[in-house]
Amino acid sequence: MPFAASRTVWQIIRANVLTLFNGIVACSFLLLFVLDQWRDALFGLSAVGNSVIGIVQEYRAKRSLDQLAVLHAARSRVLRDGVRQEIPAAGLFPTILLCWAPGPGHRRPAAR
């Protein structure tokens, strides 16, 4: 299963729309609309605008996070058909032969 770097679009929409503030504003909007005070109910548009702005900003951040996750995906060195190859970590399976080596920050001791 691929690693999810961020929330799904549905989770973003739900988190920005289904809030206590929006619930209170929606109930007040409906009450004023039923009482034929629609001019006073126009403040409900601010809640809609707030939700839209939040969704757009978080979706842009999600796209950036997803792109960064792809750029920094873990890779592994393996031995396939007698040849060393570098593959994405998602391509590993139980019978594959891994090639172990020191990491990029490892320094070998100086020879004496």
Side-chain angles (χ1 to χ4, degrees):
M1 173 158 98
F3 173 73
S6 60
R7 296 196 283 187
T8 65
V9 175
W10 172 245
Q11 289 172 331
I12 291 171
I13 292 171
R14 190 174 59 209
N16 281 283
V17 173
L18 301 178
T19 65
L20 178 60
F21 174 76
N22 286 349
I24 292 169
V25 170
C27 289
S28 301
F29 176 81
L30 290 174
L31 180 63
L32 287 169
F33 197 74
V34 168
L35 295 174
D36 199 27
Q37 299 294 322
W38 63 270
R39 288 185 192 130
D40 293 332
L42 290 178
F43 69 87
L45 296 177
S46 65
V48 173
N50 185 41
S51 293
V52 169
I53 290 170
I55 291 168
V56 169
Q57 286 180 335
E58 193 167 346
Y59 180 71
R60 287 180 180 168
K62 172 199 173 12
R63 282 194 348 222
S64 296
L65 281 174
D66 291 345
Q67 290 170 351
L68 285 172
V70 169
L71 288 175
H72 292 81
R75 299 190 59 80
S76 300
R77 290 186 186 104
V78 300
L79 189 62
R80 283 190 177 163
D81 300 323
V83 178
R84 287 186 183 208
Q85 300 175 356
E86 194 168 301
I87 63 169
L92 295 176
F93 49 90
T95 59
I96 202 163
L97 184 59
L98 293 172
C99 299
W100 294 94
H106 179 74
R107 298 175 74 192
R108 293 186 180 180
R112 293 184 191 202

